[in-house]
Amino acid sequence: MTGTTLTRGYVIIWIWLLALMTVSLFANTLPVSRPAIVTLMFVVAAVKAVLVALNFMHLRLEAWLIYAIATAPMLLVFGLMLALFPDFVLPR
Amino acid sequence: MSAATPTYAGTAGAAARGKVGIWWFLASEVMLFGGLISSFVISRLGGSAHVEHDHLNVTVAAINTFILLSSSYTMVEAYAAAERGDRRGMRVFLGLTVLGGLAFLGIKAYEYTGEITHGFTPWAGTFWSFYYTMTGLHALHVLIGVIANATLCLGARLGLERPYRVELAGLYWHFVDIVWIFLFPLVYLS
Amino acid sequence: MSHASPTVTAVRGPHEATGFFRTYLYATDHKMIARQYLLLGLIMAVVGGYLSYAMRWQLAWPDTEVPGFGFVGPETYNVLVTNHGTIMVFFVAMPILLGSFGNFLIPLMIGARDMAFPRLNALSFWLLALGSAVVLVSFLVPGGAASAGWTGYPPLSAKAEYTGVDWGLTLWLLAHAIEFAAFLLGGVNFLTTIVTMRAPGLGFGRLPLIIWQQATAAILFLLSVGPLIAGAIMLLMDRIVGTGFFLPERGGEPLLWQHLFWFFGHPEVYVVLLPALGAVLEIFPVFSRKPIFGYTLVVWATIVAGALSFIVWAHHMFVSGMDPRLAMPFSITTILISVPFALAVFAMIASLYRGSIAFELPMLWALAFLAMFTTGGLTGIFLGSAPSDIYLNGTYFVVAHFHYTLISAVIFGGYAGIYYWFPKMFGRMLGTRLGQLHFWSTLVSFNVVFFPLHWIGIAGMVRRIANPLQYDMIAPHQWINVVSTVALFGLVASQLVFFVNFFVSQLRGRPAPANPWEATTLEWTTPSPPPHGNWGEALPVVGRGPYEYSVPGATRDWLPQRTGAAAAEARP
């Protein structure tokens, strides 16, 4: 991982992040349904998170072990949230 | 990462150990924020926590988002400079990152003040309880990151810099940024 | 005897700690930290045992003065139940099985000189010491210590008015937050050490099984405790700031706490169990002079059990009022998780089959673990399936079940490990005469304390009642409570035997050779106790797997993992 070659890449990623932020800021004005807007916002957030993780955190240069450490908790959080749905969200 | 580190005190070994360690730590942090955010999400979808957008300052939060995203960029540039052996660049970018973190905290404090003076205290309802707990825990992490980065910046001034430490602090800082990337739409936008 | 030579003093690496402060207080040597954890765990075990004594006395002879404690009554009884549970799990089991065994064995078994982050290691221990101090202090504040049960369910725990305990419960929560931080940092340290610091030649497939179990336990803790910390923050906010996360009248969800708690709570029992299982798995091959049966099988069983432990938690909540649609999937995963554990138990039994078994003390404890753990595991099947659990939930059947599983882990597995590694840890042999007395009296009294509790539980005695005589249906069975309490006196007395043996042997025990049990793993190729830096000048090189006993054609019945002269010299 050498810094010199990546620096220009970092600027591009930063610009992407700001552009995506702008998209989610103005998503509320889009002429589509509310669930679609919310979905868009979280897809955008996920893309931003992946951009930061892959580039700024250099995940794309890492070994499989680091990938595993990074993704396992995400899956667990997702599973936890789904398991909570019957009790708190779904109608009885 | 499967290669064993045969030397005991070499800095290369320390960098590899530090990186594996910080990733394990971040995994536990994902679970911490994940547990809290999951609780908020199900309370919201279940109807017990109504979001009160009208009383949140979205413009100020957007500025804060901009600042935190940019500080992530300066952090990664600080690491790039450290890798190049560019001490001055490293100090400048670390300093900028610290400033970004401080600005974020200042603006957050301004936001809190406004909300509390309008009567939206942490005990004003489930949404506000979650709002203060989530953003407060995040702000605490920002504060820790600011302290870490400032320590590295001052250490570099004294000639104590080790490039891998900048990378480790950066991993933490970017994680804090990612948490905000999710909190921002969750609390302010959707 | 040992491979220590005069040149060892010139070893590159950490400087030998000197002076009282560096040796005992700000110690960064993993072996000293392991001893610190062990001592702290034993001290807290005395506290937890004292609480259980007062509790059992109250159950046998309700509302009489407890000698050496005083009058108990319902409020104090709640304090006893709560703190006995959390102290034993978080401040005894974890410090001894993870803190002490993990810290001592990981660097020695993987051929490292210390943990990956020695100073962080010291921080972990002192955080735990701080947490222990906070727990003890919580007994002294006005209003007394926490009394909302070890699970701390809100709304009971969310407001001071409900229990009458204000600062005691807040401090209790705080103490556990500190404990979690300590073991989080400890877990990061364990995992980093195992991943990055294995000796040359020591691939993952050659790791001793206890290292796999410690790693799995660390991962389970690391990944399960976050949601509970989040819940604890919310509960503290409810208590201190006045939010209503868990208060129904304020729109909160008390059930959410139960989910967050048990999402951690179930993996946590494996965090305690796995290191004990690992210790037993280390001991069986040594004292039956056979390789472990199915190394790969046990590794996979550990990983699968660890993964499954994240999706069984709601079996603790069948009667909580949660959505009944969750009961079926969680029953299924619970029954499923007995499969990997059954595999591990079968692997253990197969490892013993036709071995030349030596009934040394570590082996006795390990065998007792196997028997007791299987008993506890079998009663778990009754509790894991929703229909029978709805009847048994909250009764003394549950109490008997988890004491059979947890005590088999902490007491039988823990003592197996302590008796086995004591020579390496302290450089002297643990006395066998007192050891035999300790083992047999513990085994008998433990069973007399806890086995009858199954019956009284089925008869309908529920947990957390201060006076069983108030209930007509339990009163005829009161003799069971008396028998159990009298046996507890025996159990406590046999631990005193251990304490005497433990401290006397450290001072007067027979000096231990480097490898008293003729075991193969790396730690037995260092002197007892190992010097600072563990390995002298050169790191060990590993040439084979961990359990090469009775290899056909070999000149002796064990082949050390370590290659080279040092391994040969380490023969007793």
Side-chain angles (χ1 to χ4, degrees):
Chain A
M1 251 168 294
T2 52
T4 34
T5 48
L6 283 177
T7 304
R8 213 173 71 89
Y10 292 150
V11 181
I12 294 170
I13 299 297
W14 178 44
I15 292 167
W16 267 110
L17 289 174
L18 297 184
L20 287 168
M21 184 191 99
T22 321
V23 170
S24 54
L25 269 179
F26 292 99
N28 274 322
T29 57
L30 289 177
V32 284
S33 69
R34 186 83 200 131
I37 291 174
V38 174
T39 313
L40 174 72
M41 280 174 182
F42 285 98
V43 169
V44 165
V47 171
K48 278 159 78 182
V50 169
L51 280 178
V52 172
L54 284 181
N55 297 288
F56 288 179
M57 298 172 94
H58 307 120
L59 204 52
R60 64 158 90 191
L61 304 172
E62 289 295 356
W64 66 269
L65 177 80
I66 305 286
Y67 269 93
I69 299 174
T71 45
M74 312 257 179
L75 295 176
L76 280 175
V77 166
F78 212 68
L80 172 65
M81 206 191 308
L82 285 182
L84 295 178
F85 265 64
D87 270 337
F88 304 103
V89 180
L90 303 181
R92 287 276 167 118
Chain B
M1 213 31 59
S2 59
T5 347
T7 54
Y8 178 70
T11 44
R17 291 202 292 271
K19 202 191 270 183
V20 173
I22 204 105
W23 274 103
W24 281 115
F25 172 70
L26 292 183
S28 75
E29 290 274 78
V30 170
M31 293 309 295
L32 169 60
F33 278 103
L36 194 55
I37 291 174
S38 303
S39 304
F40 174 62
V41 168
I42 55 122
S43 299
R44 243 190 95 169
L45 294 176
S48 59
H50 286 291
V51 180
E52 301 181 35
H53 290 302
D54 307 346
H55 306 299
L56 288 170
N57 197 335
V58 180
T59 320
V60 169
I63 294 171
N64 240 353
T65 311
F66 169 76
I67 290 172
L68 209 57
L69 285 176
S70 306
S71 79
S72 234
Y73 165 71
T74 54
M75 188 75 210
V76 80
E77 284 291 3
Y79 169 60
E83 280 282 288
R84 287 197 299 271
D86 172 7
R87 284 187 183 187
R88 199 176 155 275
M90 179 184 121
R91 282 216 313 271
V92 168
F93 279 116
L94 272 177
L96 284 174
T97 313
V98 170
L99 281 182
L102 288 175
F104 179 90
L105 288 176
I107 291 173
K108 200 72 219 151
Y110 166 77
E111 254 188 281
Y112 282 160
T113 316
E115 282 140 8
I116 290 174
T117 48
H118 284 88
F120 301 110
T121 53
W123 52 91
T126 309
F127 169 73
W128 292 105
S129 303
F130 270 114
Y131 168 77
Y132 283 102
T133 310
M134 291 193 302
T135 56
L137 188 65
H138 177 262
L140 189 67
H141 280 75
V142 173
L143 180 64
I144 293 167
V146 165
I147 293 171
N149 293 338
T151 310
L152 288 176
C153 192
L154 294 177
R157 190 171 274 276
L158 301 172
L160 299 172
E161 80 274 12
R162 302 251 173 85
Y164 76 89
R165 290 192 178 156
V166 180
E167 186 181 18
L168 301 184
L171 286 172
Y172 173 80
W173 189 254
H174 300 312
F175 166 76
V176 174
D177 187 29
I178 287 179
V179 172
W180 185 256
I181 284 175
F182 285 104
L183 281 182
F184 178 55
L186 201 61
V187 173
Y188 292 91
L189 297 180
S190 60
Chain C
M1 243 355 107
S2 80
H3 67 287
S5 59
T7 53
V8 167
T9 44
V11 58
R12 195 172 66 89
H15 296 293
E16 175 98 48
T18 48
F20 181 82
F21 178 74
R22 282 285 303 182
T23 313
Y24 296 108
L25 295 177
Y26 182 52
T28 52
D29 187 312
H30 71 102
K31 298 178 290 294
M32 180 52 72
I33 292 177
R35 288 181 207 127
Q36 290 174 328
Y37 271 113
L38 184 60
L39 189 65
L40 180 66
L42 290 176
I43 291 170
M44 293 305 278
V46 173
V47 178
Y50 177 59
L51 299 182
S52 74
Y53 153 76
M55 198 160 46
R56 280 282 1 144
W57 183 287
Q58 163 74 15
L59 287 170
W61 303 287
D63 297 341
T64 58
E65 198 82 9
V66 181
F69 186 89
F71 183 75
V72 173
E75 281 84 12
T76 312
Y77 187 81
N78 288 342
V79 172
L80 297 178
V81 181
T82 306
N83 286 285
H84 167 73
T86 48
I87 286 177
M88 285 303 198
V89 171
F90 296 112
F91 294 96
V92 177
M94 290 182 68
I96 293 178
L97 295 174
L98 280 128
S100 182
F101 289 5
N103 266 305
F104 190 72
L105 296 175
I106 289 173
L108 281 174
M109 281 186 150
I110 68 171
R113 293 193 190 276
D114 206 322
M115 299 293 279
F117 312 111
R119 278 173 296 181
L120 189 72
N121 206 12
L123 179 67
S124 299
F125 171 75
W126 286 108
L127 278 177
L128 180 73
L130 177 66
S132 313
V134 174
V135 164
L136 296 180
V137 165
S138 79
F139 282 89
L140 308 175
V141 296
S147 62
W150 87 277
T151 50
Y153 280 175
L156 184 62
S157 60
K159 267 190 174 176
E161 296 95 284
Y162 296 158
T163 50
V165 178
D166 187 3
W167 273 101
L169 220 158
T170 307
L171 285 178
W172 178 83
L173 274 170
L174 218 62
H176 288 86
I178 297 170
E179 201 262 8
F180 295 154
F183 278 97
L184 261 180
L185 299 178
V188 166
N189 218 337
F190 281 19
L191 290 164
T192 309
T193 309
I194 295 170
V195 169
T196 60
M197 294 175 73
R198 280 166 291 120
L202 189 60
F204 279 115
R206 282 175 174 174
L207 280 180
L209 282 169
I210 191 171
I211 302 298
W212 276 103
Q213 321 265 6
Q214 290 277 359
T216 313
I219 293 175
L220 294 189
F221 187 80
L222 214 64
L223 295 184
S224 67
V225 80
L228 180 60
I229 297 179
I233 293 171
M234 288 151 78
L235 192 55
L236 275 173
M237 294 277 286
D238 279 3
R239 289 184 67 84
I240 297 173
V241 182
T243 56
F245 287 115
F246 300 121
L247 291 167
E249 73 270 21
R250 307 269 305 275
E253 300 274 10
L255 200 56
L256 180 60
W257 168 269
Q258 297 198 21
H259 277 292
L260 297 177
F261 182 89
W262 288 113
F263 182 81
F264 162 77
H266 202 83
E268 168 68 14
V269 301
Y270 298 130
V271 170
V272 173
L273 170 68
L274 286 174
L277 197 69
V280 171
L281 284 162
E282 291 304 314
I283 289 165
F284 276 171
V286 178
F287 296 97
S288 56
R289 314 309 292 172
K290 275 184 66 191
I292 202 85
F293 180 87
Y295 174 92
T296 321
L297 179 85
V298 176
V299 170
W300 277 108
T302 307
I303 294 170
V304 169
L308 281 174
S309 77
F310 284 103
I311 49 171
V312 298
W313 79 86
H315 68 217
H316 295 270
M317 299 167 57
F318 285 144
V319 297
S320 68
M322 71 166 185
D323 195 315
R325 284 171 294 188
L326 285 175
M328 170 86 98
F330 278 100
S331 280
I332 293 173
T333 53
T334 303
I335 303 297
L336 215 58
I337 203 169
S338 57
V339 174
F341 280 113
L343 283 177
V345 167
F346 282 128
M348 287 163 136
I349 296 172
S351 307
L352 297 173
Y353 179 65
R354 301 189 68 176
S356 26
I357 291 175
F359 289 101
E360 300 274 357
L361 280 164
M363 187 62 165
L364 289 176
W365 287 105
L367 290 169
F369 167 90
L370 188 58
M372 297 299 109
F373 177 68
T374 309
T375 313
L378 288 175
T379 53
I381 294 175
F382 294 84
L383 299 170
S385 104
S388 54
D389 181 68
I390 287 168
Y391 175 71
L392 294 169
N393 193 294
T395 67
Y396 265 74
F397 190 85
V398 179
V399 175
H401 158 72
F402 68 68
H403 280 90
Y404 263 90
T405 50
L406 281 177
I407 286 195
S408 63
V410 185
I411 291 201
F412 292 98
Y415 279 134
I418 290 174
Y419 277 80
Y420 180 57
W421 282 292
F422 185 92
K424 187 54 65 183
M425 215 174 204
F426 297 103
R428 290 181 184 270
M429 303 300 288
L430 199 49
T432 45
R433 225 173 262 256
L434 287 178
Q436 290 277 352
L437 177 64
H438 174 218
F439 170 74
W440 290 107
S441 57
T442 303
L443 181 67
V444 173
S445 56
F446 161 72
N447 279 291
V448 181
V449 175
F450 290 103
F451 202 84
L453 294 184
H454 289 113
W455 305 331
I456 204 167
I458 294 171
M461 179 165 160
V462 292
R463 297 165 69 178
R464 296 172 181 168
I465 51 171
N467 184 353
L469 292 177
Q470 284 177 330
Y471 304 89
D472 291 340
M473 64 177 194
I474 309 174
H477 307 291
Q478 180 62 12
W479 66 272
I480 294 179
N481 276 325
V482 176
V483 166
S484 172
T485 300
V486 172
L488 181 84
F489 301 155
L491 189 58
V492 170
S494 19
Q495 305 324 302
L496 294 181
V497 174
F498 168 74
F499 275 90
V500 170
N501 197 10
F502 182 76
F503 289 111
V504 169
S505 297
Q506 281 187 41
L507 299 172
R508 301 238 190 98
R510 188 161 57 83
N515 190 358
W517 315 118
E518 302 200 327
T520 52
T521 40
L522 285 183
E523 79 272 28
W524 302 106
T525 62
T526 62
S528 303
H532 198 69
N534 294 348
W535 308 106
E537 269 185 297
L539 283 175
V541 177
V542 173
R544 50 175 72 81
Y547 306 112
E548 308 227 341
Y549 293 97
S550 306
V551 177
T555 48
R556 55 184 179 191
D557 73 344
W558 56 288
L559 297 174
Q561 270 196 291
R562 185 175 185 174
T563 53
E569 278 172 30
R571 289 192 70 177

